[in-house]
Amino acid sequence: MPLPIPVTLTPTTTATTDSYSITVKPGTTQMKATGAATPIVGFNGTFPGPTIVATKGRTVQVTQTNGWTENITIHNHGHKVAASSDGHPTDYIVPGASKTYTYTNDQRAGTYWYHDHTMDLTGAHVYNGLAAFYIIHDPAEDSLGLPSGSYDVPLLLQDKQFNADNTLAYDSNNNIRHGFLGDTAVVNGAVTPYLNVSTHKYRFRVLNGSNARNFTIQLASGASFRVIGSDGGLLAAPVTLTSLNVAPAERYDLIIDFSGAAVGSSDVLTNTDRDNPSIGDLVQFRVTTATADTSTVPATLSTITRYTSSQAVSTVPLTFSQGNQDWTINGLLYDPARLDVFSTLNTIYIWELNNQSGEMHPFHKHLTEFQVLDINGSPPPPEQMGWKDTVAVPSWGSAHVIFKDETFPGTFVFHCHKLEHEDHRMMLQESVTQ
């Protein structure tokens, strides 16, 4: 079936602010090409939810109404926001109520996403449809001449398991150890769809929105592609690869160039990761039309000033492990009444992430983007040399990240982004003061 493209919402605008109203409610979507539509719970009853396109420096307000039967709370992943708008796990919107979130968009242009973050229920809620793109544009980036318009395509990668009647199967209690792994690839809410493309460069905004699955993506033809952005926006320069690892919650912006392809040819974005049950093909690209291509991919994309270890005032050790069947950080389970790490605004810190387990853990920190200093003692690969908010900490390995919290004091969480690990309290709290 054709690749669905999420609708982009149109805001109500004032001189300074774009406002949106969204209702979380049940709906259906045709995930499989045949058979019944699949029930979901989505933003405006759709899956994926509608895309919000913001402009750097221009405020967005989103009023989320809970038209469902369960508590929700919405996290704008990767955003620097006040604690009251961060989607804290216990900052519930109860059924029938509404909450307005304010996003100042005082950060780099990039591919972000908003999703449910309810304590103990994030896995089930995201799995059932509460995930959507939030994209920030910047006139400076727009002037680079990168592929845009219909050549700028979001790709939400997930895995699902279906019952015989096309309803979604999910049992969190059986997925505590590894996190939920489905047996079917779903991209933008459709099972292994196809996209008709022209002989043109395309920008694909790849988001791993799965509960726990790691994707290792490549083109079936073996052709290379260029990575131009990661979680926190454009890299300093394009990185040419033939294979890319994308951990849960990570985003990468790719340029795939079909300008030299013959009309009638095709290629497939596929997954080669060994997670079991394995899934392969993700989306097929069918070259159907010839067109002139005036887009460019500059050798220099942005300026990224790297922090150095000597700038940090301290190093905070965080150890990921398992005990009594619970995943923990520093031996602790999440307690919303307890503060675990203390930081001061505009101060540079290193967090030392030690993984004392046989599971990879995608670590996500709220409030600020960070830079990866090293993974297992070695410099990160070039595609991870930009700004990040999620890093895959290898099993029995380590990573060091460096950051500076800015603008907003308050209480913010950090956690493993395997959603079943998060739901079983592999999450702690950072207290940020001025």
Side-chain angles (χ1 to χ4, degrees), residues 175-256:
N175 293 284
I176 298 172
R177 173 65 179 164
H178 300 292
F180 176 86
L181 295 173
D183 57 10
T184 305
V186 173
V187 181
N188 288 2
V191 173
T192 53
Y194 67 86
L195 176 67
N196 290 333
V197 299
S198 301
T199 54
H200 198 283
K201 292 185 286 295
Y202 281 74
R203 178 179 187 167
F204 291 104
R205 298 176 184 263
V206 175
L207 158 61
N208 182 345
S210 67
N211 282 42
R213 180 177 291 276
N214 198 78
F215 288 96
T216 302
I217 58 174
Q218 63 183 52
L219 291 167
S221 66
S224 63
F225 50 83
R226 285 171 284 184
V227 182
I228 62 168
S230 60
D231 302 342
L234 291 178
L235 300 176
V239 178
T240 301
L241 298 174
T242 57
S243 181
L244 174 66
N245 187 77
V246 190
E250 283 191 309
R251 287 90 64 210
Y252 288 100
D253 286 17
L254 316 181
I255 299 292
I256 300 180

Side-chain angles (χ1 to χ4, degrees), residues 9-13 18-20 53:
L9 288 181
T10 300
T12 300
T13 63
D18 295 334
S19 298
Y20 300 87
V53 176

Side-chain angles (χ1 to χ4, degrees), residues 108-162:
R108 304 179 91 228
T111 303
Y112 303 96
W113 62 307
Y114 61 102
H115 61 81
D116 179 83
H117 209 290
T118 307
M119 187 171 72
D120 303 341
L121 296 172
T122 300
H125 288 186
V126 172
Y127 182 77
N128 280 289
L130 290 177
F133 284 91
Y134 186 108
I135 295 170
I136 299 179
H137 281 296
D138 178 353
E141 178 180 314
D142 295 342
S143 69
L144 294 177
L146 294 165
S148 61
S150 63
Y151 305 109
D152 184 340
V153 180
L155 294 178
L156 171 60
L157 308 184
Q158 294 182 315
D159 55 334
K160 308 289 186 186
Q161 185 172 328
F162 292 90

Side-chain angles (χ1 to χ4, degrees), residues 92-106:
Y92 300 131
I93 309 173
V94 300
S98 299
K99 176 182 174 63
T100 298
Y101 297 84
T102 299
Y103 308 118
T104 60
N105 300 306
D106 179 23

Side-chain angles (χ1 to χ4, degrees), residues 259 301 384 398:
S259 60
L301 295 167
Q384 295 194 44
S398 66

